[in-house]
Amino acid sequence: MTHRQFLETGVARLEYRLTRPAHSTGPVLVLLHEGLGSLDLWKDFPAQLAEAGAAPVLAYSRQGYGRSSPIALPRSLDYLGVDGPDELARLLDGLGLEQVVLVGHSDGASIALAYAARQDPRVSGVVVLAPHVDVEPASVEGVRRTVRAYARGDLRKRLHAYHDDNLDGAFRGWSETWLNPAFAAWSLYRELPCIQVPLLAIQGYEDEFATPAQLETIARNVAGPCRTVMLEHCRHFPQNQARPRVLALIAEFLATLPG
C-alpha cells in the first residue's frame, strides 16, 4: 500500500492512493466516490477489495473533495455526465493506466456509467453501487434530509475530517445541484445504450436515495452483459452495509471478465 500521492492533471491537483495486494493480476480497480465522499471516506474498503479481487485498487478524490484542489461553484448541471468523466480521463492518462475496471458508488457510479459509454478501450468492466441514472423524488428527498442534518452541525462535524477546507464547497456543490429544479431533467438515458462492457449493478432494497427502478433502467438499456443484484437489509452504502456480499460479488465479476 502506498501513501497519499498527488497528480497534477493540468486542471486540478488530485489526491490518490494505489493499494496493491501481495499477489495481483488483471486490471486496476478505479474507485469513484459518492457526492460527499473522498479518498479517505472509503476507509478500509480499498484494502479489502484489493485482497478479495486480487487486483490493485486506485482511490482518488475528485476536484473539490478531500485534499484535492477546490472547485468553483456552482457546479455544472451535467457534472455527472461530462465533468466527472472528463476528469477521470485525465486521471487515467496522467497515471498511465492501460486497463481498468471502474467501481463507482452513487454519484461516482453515475460517472462510471457515463465514462463507460465513451467506450474507452482501457475500460474492461464496470461495477456500480447504488447508481443514479435519473433524478427520482426519493433522491431529492434524501438530499433534503442530508441538508437538514448538515445544518444541525452533526454531519458537518463528521465530514470535516475528510474534506478540510473543501467541505462547504463539496457539500454545496452536491446539494445545490441536486436540489436545483433544472437538474430534474438530468439523466443517462442516452448513454446507457452505448455501454458495451460487462456491468455489475448492486443496490440495497432500503436505499434511502433511490428505488429499484434505477437497476431496472440500467438492465433494460445497456448493450453489454449486465447483472443486477438487490441486497436485503442494505441502504445506500452497500460497500459498508453489506460488505462481505459486495466483495464476493465483485470478485465473482472480475473472474468472468475476458483475459
Side-chain angles (χ1 to χ4, degrees), residues 190-230:
R190 289 181 298 177
E191 287 82 357
L192 291 177
C194 299
I195 299 175
Q196 299 177 348
V197 295
L199 173 66
L200 170 63
I202 301 171
Q203 186 179 7
Y205 275 111
E206 300 170 18
D207 192 331
E208 61 271 44
F209 286 89
T211 73
Q214 298 294 321
L215 296 202
E216 294 165 6
T217 300
I218 291 171
R220 190 169 57 247
N221 288 283
V222 296
C226 176
R227 180 186 181 188
T228 62
V229 180
M230 294 294 302

Side-chain angles (χ1 to χ4, degrees), residues 115-128:
Y115 193 81
R118 298 185 178 189
Q119 299 180 1
D120 183 337
R122 292 175 291 189
V123 177
S124 56
V126 180
V127 178
V128 289

Side-chain angles (χ1 to χ4, degrees), residues 5 27 32-33 65-66 71 89 138 148 157 160 170 192 200 214 259:
Q5 296 178 276
L32 295 108
H33 62 73
Y65 294 93
I71 196 165
R148 291 194 290 270
K157 183 177 181 180
H160 186 267
L192 291 177
L200 170 63
Q214 298 294 321

Side-chain angles (χ1 to χ4, degrees), residues 77 133-137 140 177-187 189:
L77 293 183
V133 297
D134 57 18
V135 181
E136 295 183 292
V140 175
T177 302
W178 275 89
L179 296 180
N180 186 325
F183 189 64
W186 172 82
S187 77
Y189 297 160

Side-chain angles (χ1 to χ4, degrees), residues 158-182:
R158 293 199 306 272
L159 289 176
H160 186 267
Y162 300 102
H163 295 289
D164 201 27
D165 292 340
N166 272 331
L167 177 55
D168 286 329
F171 190 86
R172 288 184 54 205
W174 170 75
S175 62
E176 292 175 5
T177 302
W178 275 89
L179 296 180
N180 186 325

